[in-house]
Amino acid sequence: MAIVLNNFKEKQRYKKETFERKVLRDLSLATIKKEFQRLFQPFFQYSLLYQNDIEDACIDLAIDSYLLGAGYSRFAYHGETLEKIKERAYAKQKAIADGLFEYWQFWCWGTEMMMESLHLCCEAFVHIWWMEGYKNGEKRYRMKLQ
């Protein structure tokens, strides 16, 4: 099957989609669910009513974080340090974590201390999946599998 690309933007989008599809093959939904349970289970101790809705949103944002990390791994291939790459990705990673926290706020209420803990868990969750994507993408670039 031959694909005709008319401009640079189309080619760039096609390469990105192809890379993302390949990287997603290494991602396990079961692993995301385990990490969700590990980090967020304490916040469900009083009610399991909305757990499935929140879990679905967390899975979506874990995938976004994973793909973001995988995308930024190309900078490591070109010699940038992990710290520089983290600085470069900070704004996008924080936006995902803040979005996840806002979604949580829609479903649950609590004391200020509980909400602060929840925000930290959201940031940790996003960071964990960003790092997983980064490691996987870096490995693929090193092995020239992109």
Side-chain angles (χ1 to χ4, degrees):
M1 176 169 113
I3 297 176
V4 178
L5 300 172
N6 296 327
N7 60 32
F8 179 71
K9 288 283 186 195
E10 271 186 54
K11 182 173 182 175
Q12 199 173 30
R13 186 180 52 79
Y14 175 77
K15 283 182 76 172
K16 181 181 178 191
E17 288 174 0
T18 303
F19 175 73
E20 287 178 350
R21 262 190 250 108
K22 289 177 182 178
V23 166
L24 282 173
R25 290 180 190 149
D26 299 330
L27 184 61
S28 164
L29 187 58
T31 309
I32 295 174
K33 286 183 177 188
K34 279 183 199 170
E35 194 63 31
F36 169 80
Q37 292 294 326
R38 187 182 73 79
L39 279 174
F40 295 110
Q41 193 59 45
F43 299 102
F44 290 113
Q45 63 185 339
Y46 300 111
S47 172
L48 297 176
L49 192 59
Y50 305 113
Q51 185 170 354
N52 288 335
D53 295 325
I54 295 171
E55 184 179 36
D56 289 346
C58 286
I59 289 170
D60 288 345
L61 292 174
I63 292 169
D64 287 348
S65 298
Y66 183 84
L67 291 174
L68 183 68
Y72 275 90
S73 66
R74 79 175 181 277
F75 296 113
Y77 180 72
H78 296 294
E80 235 177 272
T81 65
L82 179 58
E83 292 307 312
K84 285 274 193 193
I85 296 168
K86 282 183 179 181
E87 285 175 26
R88 196 187 272 252
Y90 178 76
K92 289 183 181 178
Q93 195 175 349
K94 179 141 178 57
I96 293 172
D98 290 346
L100 179 58
F101 178 65
E102 288 172 13
Y103 188 78
W104 266 93
Q105 282 182 311
F106 177 78
W107 292 105
C108 74
W109 306 266
T111 64
E112 187 176 331
M113 182 185 262
M114 184 186 119
M115 295 312 271
E116 191 174 317
S117 297
L118 178 59
H119 192 264
L120 291 173
C121 283
C122 290
E123 287 179 346
F125 186 74
V126 168
H127 181 72
I128 288 167
W129 291 108
W130 186 90
M131 282 303 297
E132 283 296 316
Y134 174 82
K135 289 176 193 172
N136 188 5
E138 185 182 33
K139 179 180 72 177
R140 293 185 75 79
Y141 276 109
R142 235 183 301 119
M143 296 173 69
K144 305 219 186 286
L145 294 174
Q146 76 278 11

